[in-house]
Amino acid sequence: MDRKTRILLLIFLHSYLLAFPQQKYTISGTVSEAASNETLIGVTVAIPELRTGVTTNEYGFYSITLPEGEYQLQVSYLGFKEVVQTIDLSQNLKFNIKMEEAAEALDEVVVTEDVEKMDIRKPQMSVNTLSAATIKKIPVILGEADVIKSILLLPGVTNAGEGASGFNVRGGAVDQNLILLDEAIIFNSSHLFGFFSVFNPDAIKDIKLYKGGIPARYGGRVSSVLDIFQKEGNSKAFKVNGGIGLVASRLLAEGPIVKDKAAFLVGGRSSYAHLFLPLFDVDNKAYFYDLNTKINYNINDRNSVFLSGYFGRDVFSISDSFVNTYGNAVGNFRWNHLFSDKLFSNLSLIYSDYYYGLKLDFVGFNWNSGIQNFNVKYDLKHYVNDKLQINYGINDIYYRFNPGKIEPSRADSGILEEQLIQKYANEFAAYIEVEHDITPKLSLNYGLRFSNFIRLGQDELNVYQNDNPVLFDPFLLVYQEADPIRTINPGRGSNLATFNNLEPRLSMAYTLNDDNSFKASYTRLAQYLHLLSNTNSPTPLDVWTPSGPFVKPQILDQYAVGYFRNFANGDYSLETEIFYKDVQNRIDYIDGANLIANDAIETVILNGEARAYGLEFLLRKNEGRLQGWLAYTLSRSEQRTPGRIPKTDNGRSNMETGINFGEWYNTPYDKTHDISLYGSYELDKKWSFNTNFVYQTGQPTNYPIGQFEFQGLTVPYYGLRNEQRLPAYHRIDVSATLTPKKNDQRKWKGEWVFSIYNLYNRRNAASINFRRNQDTGANEAVRTSIFGIVPAATYNFKF
């Protein structure tokens, strides 16, 4: 064969291969726990020969498209036995995988630290995952396992202190966190004013906290997303587990409705310390209760439906003259449908309600307020091939805000019924998000979210001169509330304001080798709801308000870069990140602002800006008897509201001083240094020990810088905002878990957890107040602390 013929033959063969590429097929299915059929999230399904693979989604589904051939399918999830299966991929293949627990343990979800490791090759960064098993180990106040208290041990996450509600992420406010329970929005995450969270750890399957690089499918808040999924229920056998503590107990039951096709889950918690107060002639009460429910039905291989709900209430009363009741109620119907082995879809219909009520018999009226929303979501995930996955969907939320309604509680109270102006809004979003492995070393996650917010009409709307609800007095240098010049009735059918925003997202990972990678991300987010609170920690009385004619939406731009590394074959891992956040239109309040029962809230707020930046460090030990992590955050969180340049009636500008003279000042949740150390040691099958140490820079506050006499009264005066700080916060907690050896021979399995919160009895300052000593006449500072040392014991069981 001459040279020319060989060349022509090679060209022909090349053209043939291009015209008829190698046939590809898809293998797909679900991964679940063999003992219960509970689907597992984040399981690695790998093809070692091709150095590729996928992870299961929120419903345990996976799909991967490969060239025709014979492969080894390797399925791994720590806490479960590895599954290795040889497959002959000569056609599309449906392969559902059952995984068995590697060892018996008390926690029903035995997934441990594996889900908490970061993936070196994935572009997703600024994400922390905690398993139910880890949360139950961490020592907390009064011995009750707590989701919110657990995530406070992660880098970049803090709160306002003991007994404080909510949490702060990377210098953001509490209202800037999107909290989802089975996709339903939770507006208040705390029980008993922050001592407990609303999440029952027995009912939880998966927890992820997104601090940055937030995927395009999420939106509506500018700081973080806490995404929590409940367990689905055991469709093989009836199981019960629970716990009995000093102040609260919990019980969860799950089992099949139709074996291997349908299951239910019901879980409840309640505190009962108030039942013992009458023994000490105390007529006050403070307690909570909540209920988690879920039903799932696997119709066939392509269709599954889920119905889940949560209901929780807190009650605080002083005798019977003052009763405070508040809580969340959510319901969610979801339908999973497989259009093909490559296209997965989920439709969700969600209702969420947050209620706050006061019964004030001593003044003769009741107060009711809250926020309701109706949410429709439709999400699709297209597994194009093993290198490309596309997520897209739409979301529409209708809001109804009730800022407050006053009703007389008795006929002789003299109180007239009054309804503060209710507000209505609609938030729509559409998104597309792409997970793309460009090369073996470079992976991208990029997407775009379009959000549209319409502030709908209401019964009454104040009109102000020059559209300015806040006035500035240039002589006294103070802001004052403006009086409306008239009130209009736009009606429910009108639109008061419309906002549109494009929110691009980009994350990337460049892998140096199997153990080292660099990552970077950019995130833009828009937030249209605002929590009106001028306290350091939110209270149930705080009211949510929508963006509108006088309140602009918050806009975030966040940048982050990081270095990630595994050591010693994954036994250790290191995550370091640097971030910078800039927030436009952050709400600020004029001095002396009254937010409670204010029907013209626009007269006490101004739009400013905020920024936060810092360094996060997380070192984990993932394997062995001793496991845990060291987290450190060095950060700064600041806010500024410069003076506006409003026009006067004669057209001249009137420059204002702004809040704090227009200078940057520390936000109430700025913590320069934040150190958390957590350790878990398994001595043997009978005893295990856990401990954590926390240190934080003191919270910003204001102390008087002087005083003056006025009509015989001593009046303190203050300097610039948040110039001073409380003393540093620190404590050590310890716990020991005793698992009797006779557990192995019995269906009833139990364990005792003994814990000590604040081991060295540190009296951390919740606040510092100043007063005049009655004996000496000198001014003195008084520290208020909430907790000293608190021992506790809990008995956990399952059968």
Side-chain angles (χ1 to χ4, degrees):
M1 185 182 297
D2 59 20
R3 183 171 177 271
K4 182 177 181 181
T5 304
R6 287 198 301 268
I7 293 174
L8 289 173
L9 181 59
L10 288 173
I11 294 174
F12 172 78
L13 289 173
H14 180 69
S15 301
Y16 178 84
L17 291 174
L18 289 177
F20 300 98
Q22 187 177 5
Q23 185 68 44
K24 290 188 175 183
Y25 296 103
T26 299
I27 178 171
S28 63
T30 58
V31 181
S32 57
E33 187 179 350
S36 65
N37 285 334
E38 184 81 36
T39 58
L40 298 174
I41 302 173
V43 177
T44 300
V45 181
I47 310 295
E49 301 100 307
L50 301 180
R51 296 180 61 83
T52 189
V54 294
T55 56
T56 56
N57 70 2
E58 292 83 356
Y59 301 94
F61 179 78
Y62 76 95
S63 175
I64 184 168
T65 300
L66 303 168
E68 181 179 3
E70 187 176 284
Y71 301 101
Q72 263 203 343
L73 194 71
Q74 188 176 28
V75 186
S76 59
Y77 206 32
L78 196 69
F80 289 80
K81 295 178 182 177
E82 186 177 63
V83 176
V84 179
Q85 179 74 38
T86 300
I87 57 169
D88 182 10
L89 199 58
S90 56
Q91 60 181 355
N92 291 336
L93 183 62
K94 185 79 171 180
F95 185 50
N96 294 327
I97 302 165
K98 301 291 184 182
M99 302 192 74
E100 296 181 355
E101 294 180 13
E104 187 68 19
L106 181 64
D107 294 311
E108 195 66 29
V109 179
V110 194
V111 178
T112 55
E113 272 55 55
D114 186 63
V115 299
E116 295 158 16
K117 295 181 185 177
M118 79 312 189
D119 192 311
I120 288 289
R121 296 182 177 275
K122 284 190 173 182
Q124 185 65 66
M125 63 184 298
S126 309
V127 176
N128 293 115
T129 303
L130 286 179
S131 67
T134 300
I135 291 171
K136 290 178 181 180
K137 291 178 182 178
I138 295 174
V140 291
I141 184 70
L142 299 172
E144 290 299 311
D146 193 293
V147 172
I148 301 300
K149 298 296 187 294
S150 299
I151 66 173
L152 295 178
L153 298 178
L154 298 171
V157 187
T158 63
N159 74 348
E162 290 169 327
S165 299
F167 57 97
N168 307 101
V169 176
R170 288 185 169 177
V174 169
D175 68 315
Q176 294 175 336
N177 302 314
L178 177 64
I179 303 175
L180 301 173
L181 179 64
D182 275 352
E183 300 184 297
I185 300 173
I186 300 295
F187 286 96
N188 188 329
S189 62
S190 300
H191 279 312
L192 295 183
F193 305 99
F195 292 120
F196 304 96
S197 75
V198 300
F199 307 109
N200 183 345
D202 289 337
I204 290 171
K205 176 164 67 172
D206 185 74
I207 299 168
K208 281 186 180 178
L209 176 66
Y210 296 86
K211 300 177 294 185
I214 297 174
R217 61 184 179 272
Y218 298 108
R221 302 292 187 274
V222 297
S223 192
S224 75
V225 177
L226 180 62
D227 198 4
I228 300 175
F229 278 85
Q230 295 187 112
K231 293 165 63 178
E232 296 166 4
N234 191 321
S235 65
K236 281 191 171 292
F238 180 76
K239 299 288 183 179
V240 175
N241 66 284
I244 302 172
L246 296 180
V247 296
S249 291
R250 63 191 190 277
L251 185 69
L252 182 139
E254 57 182 328
I257 300 173
V258 178
K259 191 169 183 179
D260 294 328
K261 288 187 69 70
F264 74 91
L265 178 146
V266 178
R269 291 190 305 167
S270 179
S271 63
Y272 40 70
H274 65 286
L275 299 177
F276 303 101
L277 294 180
L279 300 176
F280 305 96
D281 293 326
V282 177
D283 204 15
N284 304 334
K285 296 179 181 178
Y287 63 92
F288 75 87
Y289 58 90
D290 56 33
L291 178 70
N292 297 78
T293 60
K294 196 165 188 177
I295 296 173
N296 77 83
Y297 180 56
N298 184 19
I299 301 171
N300 53 41
D301 287 343
R302 292 193 175 274
N303 295 277
S304 298
V305 292
F306 306 82
L307 182 63
S308 60
Y310 168 85
F311 180 84
R313 282 293 182 266
D314 284 71
V315 178
F316 172 69
S317 67
I318 300 175
S319 300
D320 288 326
S321 59
F322 174 90
V323 181
N324 176 202
T325 304
Y326 65 93
N328 301 279
V330 301
N332 185 359
F333 171 80
R334 284 177 290 171
W335 171 38
N336 288 176
H337 176 67
L338 276 177
F339 286 99
S340 70
D341 51 11
K342 289 188 174 185
L343 185 57
F344 178 92
S345 71
N346 176 69
L347 172 67
S348 297
L349 306 176
I350 306 167
Y351 169 78
S352 178
D353 173 83
Y354 174 66
Y355 167 80
Y356 179 86
L358 287 173
K359 180 182 178 183
L360 305 171
D361 270 358
F362 65 95
V363 289
F365 73 85
N366 298 330
W367 167 279
N368 296 291
S369 65
I371 176 174
Q372 295 176 309
N373 73 68
F374 303 89
N375 186 353
V376 179
K377 291 177 79 264
Y378 193 46
D379 303 287
L380 298 101
K381 183 160 189 171
H382 189 184
Y383 297 83
V384 180
N385 54 49
D386 62 321
K387 307 296 183 187
L388 182 65
Q389 300 172 26
I390 304 175
N391 302 279
Y392 47 94
I394 58 173
N395 182 17
D396 192 76
I397 309 175
Y398 173 78
Y399 296 99
R400 175 180 174 268
F401 302 84
N402 177 17
K405 182 178 183 180
I406 298 174
E407 298 176 311
S409 60
R410 56 178 187 267
D412 61 346
S413 66
I415 301 294
L416 298 178
E417 182 174 315
E418 181 181 358
Q419 171 68 62
L420 298 183
I421 299 172
Q422 297 195 49
K423 302 178 178 69
Y424 307 88
N426 192 85
E427 183 175 354
F428 171 82
Y431 73 90
I432 183 169
E433 172 191 331
V434 180
E435 302 171 42
H436 195 177
D437 294 338
I438 304 294
T439 71
K441 290 184 174 292
L442 179 63
S443 298
L444 300 180
N445 187 317
Y446 49 93
L448 181 66
R449 182 182 182 90
F450 168 75
S451 59
N452 165 266
F453 188 85
I454 301 175
R455 174 69 180 275
L456 301 172
Q458 58 195 48
D459 295 334
E460 295 181 12
L461 181 68
N462 292 332
V463 178
Y464 301 91
Q465 188 171 1
N466 298 323
D467 285 332
N468 188 9
V470 181
L471 301 179
F472 179 73
D473 189 322
F475 300 102
L476 298 178
L477 299 180
V478 296
Y479 288 95
Q480 299 173 339
E481 302 176 33
D483 294 321
I485 56 177
R486 68 179 184 276
T487 300
I488 60 175
N489 302 94
R492 294 281 304 279
S494 62
N495 293 345
L496 302 182
T498 301
F499 304 95
N500 296 301
N501 281 288
L502 289 175
E503 306 171 33
R505 318 286 172 86
L506 173 64
S507 299
M508 62 176 292
Y510 184 78
T511 306
L512 301 177
N513 52 46
D514 288 344
D515 293 320
N516 294 269
S517 68
F518 289 97
K519 299 186 182 184
S521 68
Y522 166 73
T523 305
R524 168 164 276 222
L525 287 158
Q527 177 171 337
Y528 301 100
L529 306 188
H530 315 267
L531 183 65
L532 302 176
S533 174
N534 55 4
T535 60
N536 289 342
S537 173
T539 70
L541 190 56
D542 298 334
V543 175
W544 289 83
T545 192
S547 299
F550 305 109
V551 182
K552 299 177 182 178
Q554 300 177 65
I555 306 295
L556 164 90
D557 291 290
Q558 180 175 193
Y559 311 85
V561 294
Y563 171 67
F564 302 79
R565 182 170 182 178
N566 285 332
F567 299 92
N569 198 30
D571 288 356
Y572 296 86
S573 59
L574 172 67
E575 305 174 39
T576 58
E577 293 190 32
I578 299 173
F579 68 89
Y580 179 85
K581 297 168 59 173
D582 178 78
V583 180
Q584 306 171 39
N585 305 324
R586 178 61 186 160
I587 279 182
D588 207 344
Y589 306 97
I590 67 174
D591 291 331
N594 177 30
L595 304 181
I596 299 176
N598 190 337
D599 217 3
I601 200 69
E602 65 272 8
T603 62
V604 295
I605 60 177
L606 295 170
N607 289 305
E609 58 182 327
R611 68 185 181 189
Y613 47 91
L615 166 69
E616 294 176 356
F617 171 92
L618 179 63
L619 176 65
R620 287 184 184 270
K621 187 178 187 300
N622 302 306
E623 307 289 348
R625 287 189 173 186
L626 177 62
Q627 299 180 10
W629 65 78
L630 170 65
Y632 172 67
T633 306
L634 173 66
S635 64
R636 189 74 179 267
S637 175
E638 299 174 307
Q639 189 166 338
R640 179 174 70 172
T641 305
R644 305 168 300 174
I645 310 178
K647 298 293 184 180
T648 60
D649 291 337
N650 59 13
R652 296 179 180 176
S653 64
N654 183 16
M655 176 59 75
E656 304 172 354
T657 59
I659 302 294
N660 204 60
F661 296 101
E663 298 295 326
W664 290 99
Y665 65 92
N666 296 326
T667 64
Y669 25 87
D670 173 62
K671 304 286 182 71
T672 307
H673 301 283
D674 179 15
I675 303 172
S676 299
L677 176 65
Y678 167 71
S680 174
Y681 181 72
E682 186 175 342
L683 180 64
D684 50 36
K685 290 185 177 181
K686 187 175 180 180
W687 284 100
S688 63
F689 302 92
N690 298 274
T691 185
N692 49 260
F693 169 73
V694 176
Y695 175 90
Q696 295 177 354
T697 301
Q699 188 173 327
T701 188
N702 280 105
Y703 298 145
I705 60 173
Q707 63 184 37
F708 61 89
E709 299 290 331
F710 179 74
Q711 295 182 354
L713 298 175
T714 301
V715 180
Y717 62 88
Y718 298 82
L720 299 178
R721 286 195 181 183
N722 294 341
E723 278 193 313
Q724 293 84 27
R725 290 184 182 270
L726 296 176
Y729 178 98
H730 54 87
R731 70 172 201 275
I732 290 178
D733 312 322
V734 295
S735 71
T737 301
L738 169 63
T739 305
K741 290 184 178 179
K742 58 185 177 181
N743 269 357
D744 296 338
Q745 288 78 39
R746 301 193 309 179
K747 289 186 177 180
W748 178 285
K749 301 181 186 298
E751 69 177 16
W752 286 95
V753 181
F754 307 98
S755 64
I756 301 177
Y757 178 87
N758 196 359
L759 181 64
Y760 51 82
N761 198 30
R762 163 77 175 177
R763 308 299 295 185
N764 287 299
S767 65
I768 291 183
N769 300 305
F770 293 83
R771 68 184 182 190
R772 173 171 290 184
N773 188 292
Q774 297 296 322
D775 298 326
T776 65
N779 293 331
E780 60 182 9
V782 180
R783 175 187 299 211
T784 300
S785 300
I786 298 178
F787 290 117
I789 185 172
V790 182
T794 302
Y795 178 70
N796 297 321
F797 60 88
K798 75 172 186 176
F799 58 88

